[in-house]
Amino acid sequence: MNTLKIAALAGDGIGPEVMREALKVLHAVERRFGLRLEITEAPVGWAGIDAAGSALPEETLALCKRSQAILFGSVGLPDRDPALPKEQRPERAALLRLRKEFGLFANLRPVRLPPELAHACPLRPERQGEGIDLLVVRELVGGMYFGHPKHTEEIQGPQGRIQRAIDTMVYTTPEIERIARVAFDAARRRRGKLTNVDKANVLENGVLWREVVTRLAAEYPEVRLEHLFVDNAAMQLMLRPAQFDVLLCENMFGDILSDEAAALAGSLGMVPSASLGEACGRTRFGFYEPAGGTAPDLAGRNVANPIAQILSAALMLRFSFGLDEAAQAVEAAVQRVIAAGLRTGDIYSAAEGGARRVGTSEMGDAIAAAI
Ligand code: IPM
Ligand code: MG
């Protein structure tokens, strides 16, 4: 068995606490499946600034390049040092830079509401329908996040100098095609339904996006394709989330809708994500992180939910290493622990009989023990 090289970048806020639990679970997987994982930890985000003066220290980047996958916690503490220029802040200098550097164009965010957690979903039971189980496929290295021109400038206004900020939404047909293929492939392996989300009634990008997706549909006859404008998609997610299987979105729409969808899963602390580059053979470089952020209000108190980080590790086993059985073992362990009634604060309700409120480390211990 080859050694699997993993860079573990815990980052800021609750990152280190939830990462610790994910590593526990990975070590349990290592023992059960006889794998050899070489996990190297390195600082990123404010932790990188504190340790080495940069949100993405050179050594951390070098480690990522030597690795086959990055298991990432979260970065960014909005209240820290407002004077630090935006280009050097962790969101842009670490997270967006890593996405671009490794060409991680495909972001997958699976949102599932386990029946046991129906009480944690903000929707009334009748709106939850037959169950919420959907996948947001988000384009991650294009659109308004990265398009040029992108700057703030000073111009002459009618009554003196004013500022003007410019972001540019730009997509080419190959960029749309490659992410659409990821979404069609995912839909084919799931329930066969793909909802394309765009704003074709207003944006040039929307028109092109819809044309390309529609053209590709001919190659996937087993997938039912439908189109929704993004505003309608946001509303439908609240009204009838069970109708969705796979949602395909450009970068910005996917950012927004994936948070909205994650709320349906009971808590952001339940939603993992995978960010993938082009496949090469059986392994694929990938970046795995919880969909929730640093949650500074929860940090350091042993209360954060580690499940999103643990499920992100499962996605890593599946997508970067092709270890589907090991990934399933992690997912089943999470499911067993939830069925047994263990709850971190975000998914706990006193009204739920048989549930027991636990801290971050106890949740991680229980999942590792269930592997
Ligand atoms: C996400 C986050 C990031 C994004 C931020 C932290 C830059 O919201 O991964 O969804 O906007 O992509
Ligand atoms: Mg987001």
Side-chain angles (χ1 to χ4, degrees):
M1 174 95 234
N2 293 334
T3 306
L4 308 176
K5 290 199 172 91
I6 299 163
L9 315 185
D12 308 319
I14 60 170
E17 290 162 76
V18 293
M19 179 66 81
R20 198 172 308 127
E21 304 315 312
L23 298 186
K24 269 184 204 164
V25 172
L26 280 175
H27 289 307
V29 168
E30 198 175 14
R31 287 189 295 274
R32 155 131 185 237
F33 291 90
L35 307 173
R36 286 219 319 260
L37 306 181
E38 185 186 308
I39 301 173
T40 312
E41 298 188 58
V44 73
W46 286 101
I49 293 174
D50 291 338
S54 139
L56 183 61
E58 280 310 314
E59 277 183 35
T60 299
L61 181 60
L63 166 71
C64 292
K65 289 184 176 161
R66 290 195 304 275
S67 304
Q68 291 158 287
I70 302 172
L71 186 61
F72 196 84
S74 46
V75 294
L77 299 171
D79 296 336
R80 252 197 80 172
D81 193 2
L84 187 72
K86 52 189 187 292
E87 303 75 31
Q88 293 171 35
R89 301 189 76 80
E91 291 84 344
R92 293 200 198 191
L95 193 56
L96 297 190
R97 166 121 190 261
L98 282 167
R99 287 175 183 172
K100 201 64 173 179
E101 178 86 30
F102 291 99
L104 304 170
F105 68 94
N107 181 227
L108 310 181
R109 296 184 171 180
V111 172
R112 218 187 121 251
L113 177 67
E116 295 88 346
L117 296 185
H119 66 273
C121 176
L123 301 185
R124 290 199 301 271
E126 62 269 28
R127 289 232 186 273
Q128 294 173 21
E130 277 101 75
I132 299 167
D133 180 1
L134 59 88
L135 174 72
V136 178
V137 175
R138 169 186 174 194
E139 201 290 328
L140 204 59
V141 291
M144 264 212 276
Y145 275 59
F146 292 98
H148 283 277
K150 184 182 192 69
H151 60 256
T152 305
E153 62 194 10
E154 208 182 77
I155 57 166
Q156 190 57 39
Q159 270 125 32
R161 306 292 286 172
I162 56 174
Q163 284 196 304
R164 174 162 73 179
I166 299 175
D167 294 282
T168 306
M169 187 168 184
V170 47
Y171 275 108
T172 62
T173 42
E175 286 172 327
I176 302 169
E177 254 182 58
R178 67 179 180 174
I179 189 68
R181 284 191 189 284
V182 171
F184 275 110
D185 281 332
R188 184 154 64 180
R189 286 192 306 271
R190 291 173 49 105
R191 301 192 301 279
K193 181 173 175 193
L194 176 60
T195 304
N196 172 51
V197 175
D198 62 38
K199 191 71 185 168
N201 49 349
V202 175
L203 300 178
E204 291 296 314
N205 270 273
V207 174
L208 183 63
W209 187 277
R210 190 172 286 210
E211 267 171 30
V212 172
V213 174
T214 304
R215 179 157 17 92
L216 276 185
E219 294 178 39
Y220 300 86
E222 64 279 57
V223 176
R224 275 170 297 125
L225 172 67
E226 65 169 18
H227 302 279
L228 286 187
F229 297 136
V230 61
D231 49 349
N232 189 16
M235 183 173 73
Q236 293 296 328
L237 267 172
M238 284 301 110
L239 294 180
R240 255 179 358 102
Q243 70 182 288
F244 294 115
D245 182 10
V246 179
L247 287 146
L248 168 62
C249 308
E250 66 85 40
N251 201 347
M252 176 76 130
F253 298 162
D255 177 45
I256 298 168
L257 292 189
S258 64
D259 265 25
E260 188 191 359
L264 299 173
S267 163
L268 267 176
M270 296 293 296
V271 181
S273 87
S275 303
L276 307 173
E278 307 278 359
C280 61
R282 243 176 71 77
T283 62
R284 180 173 202 172
F285 188 86
F287 177 99
Y288 303 87
E289 63 174 330
T294 51
D297 52 322
L298 304 182
R301 296 169 39 210
N302 193 40
V303 295
N305 187 345
I307 290 180
Q309 187 78 56
I310 290 168
L311 291 176
S312 298
L315 295 180
M316 174 181 79
L317 294 169
R318 175 171 296 129
F319 292 125
S320 280
F321 303 128
L323 297 167
D324 206 50
E325 210 189 323
Q328 277 173 28
V330 174
E331 288 158 355
V334 168
Q335 184 51 44
R336 269 203 297 284
V337 165
I338 287 179
L342 267 66
R343 305 280 184 265
T344 42
D346 55 323
I347 51 175
Y348 177 78
S349 152
E352 190 196 358
R356 190 159 63 84
R357 190 171 181 153
V358 298
T360 310
S361 57
E362 197 179 337
M363 182 63 102
D365 287 341
I367 295 168
I371 293 289

